[in-house]
Amino acid sequence: MPEQSLDHNLEIVRNRVASAANILVISGAGISAESGIPTFRTGGGLWDKFNPLDFATREAFKRDPVKVWKWYDERRQNAAAAQPNPAHIALAGLEQAGKRVFIVTQNVDDLHEQAGSKEVVHIHGSLWRLRCERDGTVLENREVPLSENPPTCMCGEVMRPDIVWFGEELPRQPVERIVHYLIEGGIDLCLIIGTEATFGYIVRWALQAREAGAMVVEVNPRDTGLGSVADLHLQGKAGEVLPRLI
């Protein structure tokens, strides 16, 4: 996108941000990549180096929980060393300015929360939670590195990462929060940041926000599958674009 066109679109979105009281944010791996956390699908992403069937399925975990946990332990160490970048900080700043900023993130790190955002819904789980499938126990665990591989529940069962794997449904409680938010309506702006939108529910939620009157704006360095959904595409890195909207 030519700089002149980008500046023009930035001005349009900046005006909408200024008047907005309620902003929906849908964030993906691209926003965390700027903090040094690898993406999954873009060039050099995790699934270019690792077979997801070996690390991100229930079958792989049952087959070799130690191998899976070693992989997640390395990801946890990487996430623990990461810091919020200007994009995370800009979104938290909008909230601190008195706007409602409801963040739906596909990311399993907590960089949004570290930056100060309060309403964050993790639809793919969290690196920092463990779950027992026998008794349903969910624990927060921030040990880096893990002291026990694999971690075990008090009931004796091996605990798994509380993360949505391939072939699994989204967790009910986060989805219900999003549905209730969308039903409430009154959304002025929907920012879709750093996601390839490969999941149908991302497109569906963006469309619902637009039908409710929101301007839908995509922030991404590349063209994605959201061309027909977004009103505007701000081409660039989130950490460079978002601070210019405030």
Side-chain angles (χ1 to χ4, degrees):
M1 176 180 294
E3 185 63 27
Q4 184 177 3
S5 178
L6 176 61
D7 286 342
H8 175 71
N9 288 343
L10 277 167
E11 185 63 24
I12 293 172
V13 181
R14 191 181 297 118
N15 290 335
R16 179 58 70 101
V17 168
S19 63
N22 186 354
I23 300 172
L24 168 63
V25 174
I26 302 175
S27 70
I31 192 171
S32 291
E34 295 179 47
S35 292
I37 295 179
T39 62
F40 288 94
R41 293 176 176 81
T42 51
L46 289 172
W47 298 148
D48 285 346
K49 303 173 183 177
F50 303 97
N51 186 342
L53 298 181
D54 293 335
F55 298 98
T57 66
R58 186 173 294 182
E59 293 72 23
F61 187 70
K62 289 181 178 178
R63 187 166 58 244
D64 195 341
V66 173
K67 175 182 177 180
V68 171
W69 264 118
K70 182 179 179 182
W71 190 73
Y72 276 99
D73 196 19
E74 291 174 357
R75 290 187 61 200
R76 283 160 59 97
Q77 292 179 56
N78 179 256
Q83 296 293 321
N85 63 58
H88 298 105
I89 293 167
L91 293 174
L94 290 174
E95 188 174 326
Q96 291 157 11
K99 302 178 186 297
R100 183 180 188 185
V101 182
F102 187 92
I103 299 176
V104 175
T105 186
Q106 300 171 71
N107 300 332
V108 294
D109 57 66
D110 63 351
L111 293 177
H112 283 299
E113 290 92 335
Q114 285 190 46
S117 293
K118 304 299 182 188
E119 267 193 296
V120 184
V121 180
H122 290 263
I123 57 172
H124 291 164
S126 170
L127 281 171
W128 307 113
R129 292 197 306 264
L130 318 182
R131 187 171 89 239
C132 175
E133 294 196 318
R134 178 187 290 173
D135 65 15
T137 297
V138 177
L139 299 174
E140 181 171 313
N141 179 303
R142 291 184 174 269
E143 286 185 320
V144 176
L146 284 166
S147 60
E148 179 185 26
N149 183 3
T152 54
C153 181
M154 292 291 289
C155 73
E157 182 77 1
V158 172
M159 301 191 83
R160 59 167 280 179
D162 189 24
I163 287 175
V164 178
W165 284 332
F166 287 92
E168 297 182 331
E169 294 183 356
L170 296 181
R172 180 178 55 83
Q173 189 173 16
V175 171
E176 287 180 351
R177 282 186 66 189
I178 296 164
V179 169
H180 290 157
Y181 170 80
L182 290 169
I183 289 173
E184 288 174 11
I187 306 168
D188 303 301
L189 176 65
C190 173
L191 296 172
I192 308 176
I193 305 166
T195 175
E196 297 293 302
T198 53
F199 299 108
Y201 44 83
I202 299 299
V203 175
R204 185 169 68 251
W205 292 334
L207 282 172
Q208 286 179 258
R210 191 169 74 174
E211 288 167 2
M215 173 188 285
V216 177
V217 178
E218 181 183 22
V219 180
N220 203 304
R222 4 178 329 140
D223 291 326
T224 70
L226 288 165
S228 62
V229 179
D231 297 301
L232 289 173
H233 179 189
L234 300 180
Q235 188 168 352
K237 294 182 177 180
E240 298 171 358
V241 171
L242 292 181
R244 297 176 66 182
L245 297 178
I246 299 176

